[in-house]
Amino acid sequence: MTDLTAPALARTLLVTGASTGIGEAAARHMATQGWTVFAGVRSQKDADALRQGANGDLRPIILDVTRNDQVAAAVTTLSAALGKRRLTGLLNNAGIAKMGPLAIQPLEDFEAHFAVNVFGMLRVTQAFVPLLGGDPAREGPPGRIVTITSVGGKIAAPFLGAYTATKHANEAMTDTLRRELAIYGIDAIAIGPGSVRTPIWDKAEKDNEGGLYAGSDWAGSLNIFEETMLKGGKTGLKPETIAEVVEDAFSNSSPKARYAPVPDKLTNFTIASRLPKRWLDRIFIKRFGLQKKR
């Protein structure tokens, strides 16, 4: 087991939501590239799994972004490891997604998205700004904050209203942080992937297995949408591809403010993001059978 208080390497990174998917891939990849990676997971079981087959300096820590005590404990752990040095990077990746029509989605489900994806992201960011460059007593160049958003941060799809609302918020927060934290030299960057082969949509499907919306006016359309998302989760970009984008965002001397790794980017993002909203409405309505029924 790695000693969390051992002297850190020159490049250090905290990753939230590192148990699976993009977070896991990024944590593993950055460790192989010579970074000391503190990988936030929610259980000891996840920590043990992350250590299996790990190469490089990968240090799992228990970190639920919705818990003040665990965020504070993470700050203490990293402060001890860093000594007087600054943290090189923070990767805000932790997130959840639940499908459902906004008109009838339980408010607690909607609130849960914001608790993790928005308030959790801000809670961690605020806690680590001093280590990234806000504390003048620390030494070394200022760090960077990279936040995993989504194509949904620019294009709001039906049945993902709660998720895309948080991702739109993450996009805006990243822009604001980049402008405000310029006083410390801390950069803030967004990565908005399209379909990625991660368990997030399998989890969303499992959440819907109880038939919460089975008898609703949206049941048929939601089934079509769910199949589309699950297909994207099986045929989308590999998490390792996004991990390489993460590396560029942290390592490039002139990084982009926003990266958009999207499969078939021209049709799935570039054109779609530039179409008039009414045109895009018609595409979604036709594709998912959302035409007026009465």
Side-chain angles (χ1 to χ4, degrees), residues 17-250:
S19 297
T20 60
I22 293 172
E24 178 188 6
R28 290 183 180 276
H29 176 75
M30 296 297 279
T32 66
Q33 300 306 302
W35 290 62
T36 295
V37 179
F38 299 88
V41 297
R42 295 182 63 189
S43 70
Q44 188 59 48
K45 179 181 178 181
D46 290 340
D48 294 340
L50 192 58
R51 287 191 185 93
Q52 296 298 316
N55 293 312
D57 193 358
L58 181 59
R59 311 184 187 189
I61 61 173
I62 303 300
L63 177 58
D64 181 338
V65 300
T66 68
R67 291 185 52 173
N68 289 325
D69 61 331
Q70 292 191 6
V71 173
V75 171
T76 298
T77 296
L78 267 69
S79 294
L82 290 167
K84 294 183 178 180
R85 293 188 59 81
R86 288 175 172 154
L87 178 66
T88 311
L90 165 63
L91 178 61
N92 287 312
N93 170 75
I96 63 169
K98 294 176 181 285
M99 301 180 200
L102 276 180
I104 59 172
Q105 187 171 33
L107 192 57
E108 57 265 29
D109 282 356
F110 190 88
E111 291 172 337
H113 285 78
F114 276 81
V116 178
N117 301 3
V118 177
F119 298 124
M121 174 258 195
L122 185 58
R123 179 178 289 106
V124 172
T125 299
Q126 290 180 339
F128 282 91
V129 161
L131 273 65
L132 288 161
D135 181 357
R138 291 187 170 272
E139 302 169 354
R144 294 178 184 176
I145 300 166
V146 175
T147 298
I148 302 297
T149 65
S150 167
V151 67
K154 296 293 186 181
I155 301 171
F159 306 121
L160 285 178
Y163 176 77
T164 59
T166 63
K167 293 305 177 180
H168 274 67
N170 290 156
E171 294 275 352
M173 292 162 73
T174 298
D175 288 342
T176 296
L177 286 167
R178 186 171 56 254
R179 291 153 192 168
E180 292 177 347
L181 295 179
I183 64 171
Y184 299 133
I186 299 172
D187 199 3
I189 298 163
I191 298 178
S195 297
V196 181
R197 301 178 202 175
T198 76
I200 191 169
W201 302 117
D202 292 325
K203 294 176 184 176
E205 180 191 29
K206 185 177 180 180
D207 288 337
N208 287 335
E209 285 178 353
L212 180 61
Y213 308 111
S216 75
D217 292 336
W218 294 275
S221 297
L222 181 56
N223 286 337
I224 297 171
F225 182 79
E226 187 176 280
E227 290 174 3
T228 300
M229 297 307 296
L230 291 174
K231 180 180 179 181
K234 292 180 173 65
T235 62
L237 298 173
K238 294 180 179 179
E240 290 76 15
T241 300
I242 310 303
E244 293 174 358
V245 178
V246 169
E247 181 186 6
D248 187 75
F250 280 117

Side-chain angles (χ1 to χ4, degrees), residues 275-289:
L275 283 175
K277 288 187 182 293
R278 295 292 188 185
W279 289 20
L280 197 56
D281 291 346
R282 287 195 286 271
I283 291 171
F284 280 132
I285 288 168
K286 181 177 181 181
R287 183 174 184 183
F288 300 115

